[in-house]
Amino acid sequence: MPFRILSLDGGGVRGIIAAIMLAAIEKQINQPLNKYFDLIAGTSTGSLLAAAIATGRSSQEMIDLYRNEGLRIFPYQSRWTWQRFPLLFKHGISAPKFSQQGLVQVLQETFGDTKFFGINSPRLIIISYDTIEREVIVFKSWRQDQAFGDIPLWEACLCSASAPTYFPAHRLEKYVLGMVKGGSRETLNLDDNASSKEQVYQNRKIEIISGKGAGQVRTIISYRGYHREAQILPQWEEIPDETSAYKITTICSAIDGGVAANNPSSCAVAEALRLGYNANDIFMLSLGTGDRTRIISHEEAYNWGLIQWAQPLIGVLFDGSSNVYEYISRQILSKKVLRLQFKLDRDLTGKKLSDDLDNATRENLDNLMEATYAYLEQPKVKSAIQDFLHLSG
């Protein structure tokens, strides 16, 4: 039996490109996408598409969302608009370009009270990144042992789409569970489930949830990460020992998963292999949101400093990771990968295609749509889609 993966790149409002591609696929398979694919993975705007498809929404609904709600998420183009003054007052001159308000509202209206673990089929993966632990966050709908609990679906998407310089990081609560290794009245030695980062748990709560000392809750006033030793207050009434299990309540600082895997394809392949599927049975459709063609000249790259690089660097990071993960996926699955992607230039329609994540103007969205339709009408693209659908059964 084939195991079909759908992988969806990040790219802001350019997610409308992937939505149109999905509409073409949906028409050809003549069934809902969540009934066809076994695993769907998304990063950033791709997480929004992935969550929508996983919950049974049609591609046309997502096309309409980008067209109708894009300006709520990205309400202006210039960083020097009066609309941005509240952010400047709150965060200072280095404030993100947008508040999360519009994005949160759109996500909440789209997904309502749906919980992440409420998605049973297909399996869903959403990628984010934690700036505190400096590690990738991989939300998996079938892994209910994850440290974040059963968070709302919209919040997982928010974590994945909080692009640096565009949106503030999202504060997400998480729990660290493990076993005590020893301690004293004022300290506790923790197992390898605890972080090795210095002071990462400072001022966080730790609770003994079973074993000796169960029910006690203390505040960690200092944390020696290398030794995984927590100093607590007040002192333990009953000192926990190696029979004791602990829970630390802490946070993630979640930003756009594109800084780690803007193209989540190889993450999805890795999970499919971990689930026990044979590489020979895995087929993947990977959808991009357009290849940037804007040149950063050598003179610019040579002379730019922190201010000039701040926003272009995001695009460079996203592009680089996308290409690397596509290469990895192809090495594993060979010809069982179909990648749909085109360059954001004038070749398809003669019209300018913006590579900005936040250009939600009607003119730009119409141009992106027109270019995508033209791309899908190319004989070689039509043939590649038909061959993939035939090969994947």
Side-chain angles (χ1 to χ4, degrees):
M1 287 289 291
F3 185 84
R4 304 185 188 100
I5 296 173
L6 173 61
S7 174
L8 299 161
D9 284 18
V13 295
R14 302 198 322 264
I16 198 170
I17 293 172
I20 293 170
M21 293 174 176
L22 286 170
I25 299 295
E26 195 170 22
K27 184 177 180 180
Q28 291 204 39
I29 62 176
N30 196 31
Q31 62 178 298
L33 293 166
N34 67 331
K35 302 299 182 184
Y36 184 78
F37 291 100
D38 301 291
L39 188 155
I40 304 177
T43 298
S44 194
T45 197
S47 74
L48 173 57
L49 283 169
I53 297 304
T55 51
R57 290 166 173 82
S58 70
S59 304
Q60 186 59 52
E61 289 180 80
M62 300 315 298
I63 294 171
D64 293 341
L65 185 145
Y66 283 105
R67 287 176 60 82
N68 298 330
E69 308 296 349
L71 284 174
R72 286 178 65 192
I73 300 171
F74 304 109
Y76 43 81
Q77 293 296 295
S78 172
R79 284 183 173 268
W80 305 109
T81 174
W82 63 268
Q83 294 171 280
R84 195 165 169 262
F85 285 173
L87 283 172
L88 295 174
F89 287 131
K90 181 177 181 179
H91 300 285
I93 194 67
S94 62
K97 187 172 182 180
F98 305 103
S99 77
Q100 289 180 328
Q101 182 178 357
L103 177 58
V104 169
Q105 288 175 350
V106 170
L107 291 173
Q108 289 179 336
E109 290 168 11
T110 302
F111 299 116
D113 297 328
T114 303
K115 294 289 190 177
F116 192 73
F117 292 155
I119 299 173
N120 298 315
S121 179
R123 291 182 171 94
L124 176 64
I125 293 174
I126 289 178
I127 308 296
S128 183
Y129 184 84
D130 178 17
T131 66
I132 296 175
E133 291 281 4
R134 296 294 185 96
E135 63 184 15
V136 179
I137 301 171
V138 184
F139 297 105
K140 307 172 191 178
S141 62
W142 66 96
R143 287 293 302 273
Q144 298 191 16
D145 59 335
Q146 285 191 304
F148 313 101
D150 193 9
I151 65 173
L153 182 57
W154 68 263
E155 190 171 19
C157 293
L158 179 62
C159 291
S160 185
S162 295
T165 76
Y166 291 92
F167 296 109
H170 179 63
R171 177 190 172 104
L172 178 67
E173 284 197 355
K174 75 169 187 177
Y175 307 97
V176 180
L177 303 174
M179 298 299 296
V180 171
K181 290 297 185 182
S184 66
R185 286 286 178 191
E186 298 175 344
T187 65
L188 203 64
N189 298 109
L190 308 179
D191 63 3
D192 289 346
N193 289 348
S195 175
S196 61
K197 302 285 194 306
E198 291 294 311
Q199 303 300 347
V200 70
Y201 300 137
Q202 189 172 20
N203 297 323
R204 302 297 174 194
K205 296 294 184 181
I206 184 167
E207 178 183 0
I208 305 303
I209 56 176
S210 67
K212 188 177 180 182
Q216 297 178 99
V217 180
R218 297 293 186 267
T219 299
I220 298 174
I221 61 170
S222 182
Y223 183 73
R224 299 172 63 196
Y226 179 77
H227 298 283
R228 292 184 170 84
E229 182 183 82
Q231 185 177 353
I232 57 93
L233 275 180
Q235 293 183 349
W236 299 112
E237 295 176 6
E238 183 178 16
I239 300 174
D241 61 17
E242 293 183 358
T243 68
S244 307
Y246 67 85
K247 179 176 79 171
I248 299 173
T249 302
T250 184
I251 64 166
C252 289
S253 172
I255 63 171
D256 197 306
V259 302
N262 197 53
N263 173 348
S265 59
S266 60
C267 301
V269 172
E271 290 301 330
L273 294 173
R274 287 186 65 182
L275 288 166
Y277 293 94
N278 190 295
N280 293 326
D281 298 324
I282 299 172
F283 298 82
M284 183 167 65
L285 174 64
S286 175
L287 303 186
T289 58
D291 268 335
R292 291 178 175 86
T293 58
R294 194 184 318 189
I295 293 172
I296 299 175
S297 70
H298 170 70
E299 289 77 14
E300 290 172 320
Y302 182 79
N303 292 305
W304 278 358
L306 179 63
I307 294 176
Q308 295 94 334
W309 268 113
Q311 206 154 329
L313 185 60
I314 300 300
V316 172
L317 291 173
F318 287 7
D319 290 346
S321 70
S322 291
N323 295 335
V324 167
Y325 289 126
E326 179 186 356
Y327 173 80
I328 294 171
S329 297
R330 287 191 180 279
Q331 294 306 304
I332 298 171
L333 301 183
S334 187
K335 296 180 179 180
K336 299 190 295 300
V337 176
L338 174 61
R339 174 74 169 169
L340 298 182
Q341 175 80 304
F342 60 83
K343 292 186 178 300
L344 296 169
D345 55 25
R346 298 177 182 268
D347 285 357
L348 288 167
T349 62
K351 297 180 180 179
K352 180 182 178 181
L353 305 178
S354 172
D355 63 9
D356 291 331
L357 304 178
D358 59 343
N359 187 347
T361 62
R362 182 51 59 93
E363 179 185 9
N364 184 52
L365 292 177
D366 286 346
N367 288 348
L368 292 173
M369 292 179 69
E370 184 179 348
T372 308
Y373 288 126
Y375 171 75
L376 292 170
E377 284 300 314
Q378 293 181 323
K380 64 179 181 180
V381 176
K382 283 185 171 182
S383 177
I385 292 173
Q386 290 172 357
D387 290 345
F388 174 81
L389 294 177
H390 175 74
L391 187 64
S392 63

